[in-house]
Amino acid sequence: MKNTPSFLASMRLFCLICLSLMGFGALAQSIQFEYDLKITADPAKRAAYLKQSGDAPSPYEQVFNLVKGSMSVATIVDKVDLRKDQYHINSTGTLGSVLATVLADQKLLRDSVGSVTKDGMLTNTYQEKRGNTELLIARVEKNVLNFYKVSSRTPPVGSASFSGRLFDMLTVGYQFLGRDLPTKSVTLPVTDGRSLKTYTLVRGEAWDFPFDNGKVRAIRYYKTTSKDDSATFEVWFSEKEHVPLRSVIGLNAQYGATIQVDLKKIPAM
């Protein structure tokens, strides 16, 4: 074939497309994490609190009443998509077969979208739906975090002002992918779709973590508590990949429950 002007132009275009695709592939990364969720609950303690306070339990709380002592209740799959300056995390929690039948196959659905900066993954929009409860939406709009129920097309049900960084319940666990683990305490403004709270995570001990029929060196970070916020939270990050191997959430005393989430296998990074 002769090197005519049209042929050379076509080849240049083809090369440009190939280079573009190669560049996109180098900047894009999609990682899937799968976790086992275990709950330790005291239904009697929760029932006593509800009776005293006069509050009504949410439909999703039925799972606590079905737990006898400590048991594995669900599998969580997080899909983390990273681009050069953007991220998207989609999370689905699926109940085990017995609980799924009793609770009509309710799921925990969470979604987070935002930007990737030198300060980590910064949240723009966080959504959460627990079983058949209403969809909760937290969205940054003109330096204000607005909260919605069901749809962001309706007026917000609340708002919170913030400055600088913003994180959510999904991005906390993946903040240090590709970044150094903090050597000191770190303060994170975190939203759960309902409100905005400030978490101070303290760097704790290192441990050879029993994992996947072996041991993985991990470092513990734990949240400080106060009189107004007695819920506990800790996460073990692998020293090498900086992925969350285990997260433990101790709910406020009125719930009488602890949630433990364990990574099943470290994915290829």
Side-chain angles (χ1 to χ4, degrees), residues 35-40 70-74 76 209 234 236 245-250 257-263:
Y35 301 88
D36 177 65
L37 187 151
K38 180 187 296 181
I39 289 180
T40 302
S70 179
M71 65 180 290
S72 179
V73 299
I76 295 177
F209 198 89
E234 66 179 57
W236 292 88
L245 298 179
R246 171 178 292 171
S247 302
V248 182
I249 302 172
T258 299
I259 298 173
Q260 180 173 308
V261 182
D262 289 297
L263 183 64

